């Protein structure tokens, strides 16, 4: 398959290591009990990794349940997997209920009003119930138990799951740990109350990536990993259980031009950068339209050229940016520049890249531009057992 819609050519691109994705599935599986399953969160085009190939590979790795943010995302995932369960985590307007049926999607119901309106459409829907235990985004507060109960009595809705979302699963501060515990206690007491009244709560799920690694004591039917499936933390931090995964994505672009800039000359818009000595300047064919944050300049934004880390200088433009490659040896037009990823011994991790832009990896990844072709690397083609062997070998080393 061509890298681009129109053929195999390069400007700026993303490389996706699907074998790393498979390995990350195994790492998550090794942290959860055998009766718990992965509900892979592949919203926002699988965090920028390209939802089609990601979903297909995950199915091959035995993942049978997916979560997306929107109806359209659910429909797209359905094109790639006929038999998987797909849950829409975001709000769907009741007027669109027919599409939930058409694409065989289950819907997270946000409150009793939402449930009532979906029920009234007459479509038979599989739903999950969102309990708001303190995140205060979507869901029904346990205080309004009658509202929760009313959802179970909607005749066109079948509850197949009950869920909540944690507000600070990434934090190991005592205050946050206590908050998480409160959220979980609140969730399980609602579940108990429903079960006491003989409602079938379906499958329970509460843990996003960080909660899997920080709160292994939580026992549910599914975990909902997003960012860590893709092999990165949201930011540089510690988790209670060791994470043993590999980044799936690299971000690369071509160098278009190399030349010298005299001392005292400025580079790019607004002339915010002035050379303090003669430098070797390289212009790269990637910019903020491709998802490189414009504010990366002047905050330690780096890039790897010739195996050497070099600084981004001057304002980042929509389609291009400039580097000081004075320390990178011989550099010429057509060479590669790596913004996220590893080249030889040099590495820029997504966590570092995100920190330079003052954000988290989740945001960086899902905002990578639609203009970047996704190039897939799959060395261990064929058998998932091969991946397993590779994984075991690596663990033994
Ligand atoms: C996005 C999302 C997730 C995945 O979160 P990560 O931190 O990326 O693992 C899980 N659950 C819900 C409800 C989400 O919205």
């Amino acid at each position: 398959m061509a890298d681009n819609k129109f053929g195999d050519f390069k400007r700026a691109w993303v490389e996706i290591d699907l074998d790393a994705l498979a390995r990350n599935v195994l790492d998550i599986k090794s942290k959860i009990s055998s009766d718990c399953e992965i509900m892979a969160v592949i919203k926002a085009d699988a965090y920028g990794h390209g939802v089609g190939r990601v979903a297909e590979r995950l199915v091959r790795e035995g993942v049978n349940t997916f979560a997306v943010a929107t109806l359209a995302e659910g429909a797209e995932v359905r094109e790639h997997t006929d038999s998987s369960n797909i849950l829409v985590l975001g709000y769907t307007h009741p007027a669109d209920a027919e599409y939930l049926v058409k694409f065989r999607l289950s819907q997270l119901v946000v409150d009793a009003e939402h449930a009532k309106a979906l029920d009234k459409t007459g479509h038979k829907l599989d739903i999950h119930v969102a309990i708001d235990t303190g995140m205060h985004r979507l869901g029904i507060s346990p205080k309004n138990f009658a509202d929760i109960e009313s959802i179970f009595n909607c005749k066109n809705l079948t509850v197949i799951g009950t869920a909540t979302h944690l507000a600070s699963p990434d934090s190991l501060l005592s205050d946050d740990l206590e908050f998480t515990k409160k959220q979980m206690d609140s969730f399980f007491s609602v579940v108990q109350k429903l079960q006491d009244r003989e409602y079938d709560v379906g499958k329970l799920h509460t843990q996003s990536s960080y909660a899997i690694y920080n709160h292994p004591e939580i026992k549910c039917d599914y975990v909902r990993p997003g960012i860590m499936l893709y092999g990165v933390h949201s930011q540089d931090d510690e988790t209670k259980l060791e994470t043993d995964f590999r980044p799936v994505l690299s971000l690369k672009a071509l160098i278009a031009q190399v030349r010298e800039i005299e001392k005292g000359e400025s580079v790019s818009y607004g002339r915010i950068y002035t050379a303090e000595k003669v430098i070797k300047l390289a212009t790269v064919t990637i910019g903020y339209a491709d998802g490189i944050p414009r504010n990366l300049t002047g905050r330690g934004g780096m890039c790897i050229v010739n195996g050497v880390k070099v600084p981004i200088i001057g304002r980042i433009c929509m389609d291009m940016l400039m580097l000081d490659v004075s320390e990178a040896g011989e550099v010429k037009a057509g060479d590669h520049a790596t913004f996220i990823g590893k080249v030889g011994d040099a590495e820029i991790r997504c966590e570092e890249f995100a920190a330079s832009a003052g954000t988290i990896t989740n945001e960086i990844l899902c905002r990578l531009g639609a203009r970047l072709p996704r190039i897939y690397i799959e060395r261990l083609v064929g058998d998932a057992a091969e991946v397993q062997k590779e994984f075991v070998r690596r663990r033994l080393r």
Side-chain angles (χ1 to χ4, degrees):
M1 202 164 53
D3 289 349
N4 303 279
K5 190 172 164 191
F6 301 106
D8 275 313
F9 45 80
K10 279 194 163 61
R11 167 189 166 265
W13 67 98
V14 157
E15 289 174 7
I16 308 290
D17 181 349
L18 292 172
D19 301 324
L21 180 72
R23 180 203 163 89
N24 301 342
V25 167
L26 290 171
D27 192 46
I28 291 168
K29 277 189 184 163
S30 76
K31 304 297 190 285
I32 60 180
S33 57
S34 58
D35 54 357
C36 178
E37 282 181 69
I38 293 177
M39 176 191 288
V41 180
I42 53 175
K43 59 194 179 187
D45 201 25
Y47 290 47
H49 292 63
V51 76
R53 292 291 297 271
V54 165
E56 284 170 14
R57 182 61 189 256
L58 288 172
V59 166
R60 239 176 63 200
E61 299 307 319
V63 174
N64 187 38
T65 303
F66 296 101
V68 293
T70 74
L71 184 56
E73 288 178 355
E76 188 171 1
V77 174
R78 180 55 77 212
E79 286 193 329
H80 297 274
T81 148
D82 195 54
S83 62
S84 304
N85 310 307
I86 304 171
L87 170 63
V88 180
L89 294 170
Y91 174 77
T92 296
H93 196 291
D96 298 331
E98 64 177 291
Y99 295 102
L100 294 171
V101 177
K102 181 174 177 190
F103 297 107
R104 291 175 284 130
L105 310 174
S106 55
Q107 173 63 46
L108 188 73
V109 165
V110 311
D111 58 16
E113 190 187 323
H114 193 208
K116 213 165 131 192
L118 287 170
D119 191 40
K120 250 178 78 180
T121 66
H123 292 291
K124 300 279 180 215
L125 301 174
D126 285 339
I127 61 150
H128 291 233
V129 179
I131 311 293
D132 177 13
T133 56
M135 171 74 177
H136 296 339
R137 187 171 67 178
L138 294 178
I140 311 172
S141 164
K143 279 182 273 178
N144 305 326
F145 186 76
D147 280 351
I148 297 174
E149 203 174 1
S150 75
I151 296 179
F152 286 80
N153 293 320
C154 289
K155 66 176 191 306
N156 293 313
L157 307 184
T158 306
V159 177
I160 60 167
T162 302
T164 196
H165 196 45
L166 298 171
S168 41
D170 53 332
S171 170
L172 295 171
L173 298 175
S174 61
D175 191 44
D176 290 321
L177 291 175
E178 210 167 292
F179 192 81
T180 298
K181 184 168 184 314
K182 266 198 201 138
Q183 284 197 269
M184 290 313 306
D185 288 349
S186 160
F187 178 72
F188 282 116
S189 75
V190 168
V191 166
Q192 187 62 55
K193 214 162 148 185
L194 286 164
Q195 285 171 335
D196 288 347
R197 296 177 193 208
E198 292 182 356
Y199 291 112
D200 183 353
V201 294
K203 306 252 192 188
L204 305 179
H205 48 103
T206 61
Q207 291 153 287
S208 58
S209 297
Y210 274 91
I212 298 168
Y213 288 86
N214 281 337
H215 294 284
E217 75 281 1
I218 299 173
K219 299 288 177 228
C220 286
D221 299 302
Y222 287 123
V223 288
R224 299 190 305 259
I227 193 66
M228 289 183 180
L229 263 182
Y230 309 102
V232 295
H233 287 228
S234 289
Q235 57 197 353
D236 270 319
D237 52 15
E238 295 287 323
T239 45
K240 185 171 170 187
L241 300 183
E242 192 192 338
T243 56
D244 186 17
F245 41 59
R246 274 192 290 179
V248 173
L249 179 144
S250 306
L251 174 63
K252 301 181 180 180
L254 294 183
I255 289 172
Q257 188 182 4
V258 183
R259 91 209 87 138
E260 281 197 346
I261 295 293
E262 299 295 332
K263 179 180 172 186
E265 288 190 310
S266 65
V267 173
S268 195
Y269 290 127
R271 301 188 291 120
I272 61 166
Y273 173 87
T274 304
E276 285 171 5
K277 56 181 172 48
V278 178
I279 62 159
K280 203 195 299 174
L281 182 88
T283 300
V284 185
T285 55
I286 193 167
Y288 59 77
D290 302 294
I292 303 278
R294 186 170 173 273
N295 71 358
L296 204 58
T297 317
R299 307 175 50 145
M302 306 286 277
C303 166
I304 302 168
V305 175
N306 261 348
V308 178
K309 277 194 200 180
V310 300
I312 300 170
I313 56 170
R315 283 254 160 81
I316 291 170
C317 310
M318 188 182 286
D319 319 301
M320 284 173 267
L321 56 78
M322 276 64 89
L323 306 172
D324 175 357
V325 293
S326 307
E327 306 299 323
E330 200 177 310
V331 180
K332 57 185 188 311
D335 285 354
H336 292 186
T338 300
F339 292 84
I340 299 172
K342 201 169 172 186
V343 187
D345 289 337
E347 183 175 19
I348 297 175
R349 293 174 303 109
C350 193
E351 291 89 338
E352 298 171 83
F353 183 94
S356 301
T359 184
I360 57 172
T361 58
N362 310 45
E363 183 181 2
I364 293 295
L365 292 173
C366 77
R367 292 178 73 164
L368 290 173
R371 195 160 76 174
L372 300 171
R374 270 63 176 171
I375 297 170
Y376 293 93
I377 301 162
E378 224 169 1
R379 278 173 301 266
L380 302 170
V381 197
D383 197 352
E386 281 304 304
V387 180
Q388 177 90 43
K389 262 188 247 159
E390 158 84 348
F391 178 75
V392 171
R393 255 199 316 270
R394 278 171 183 278
R395 297 217 95 179
L396 291 177
R397 244 193 269 145

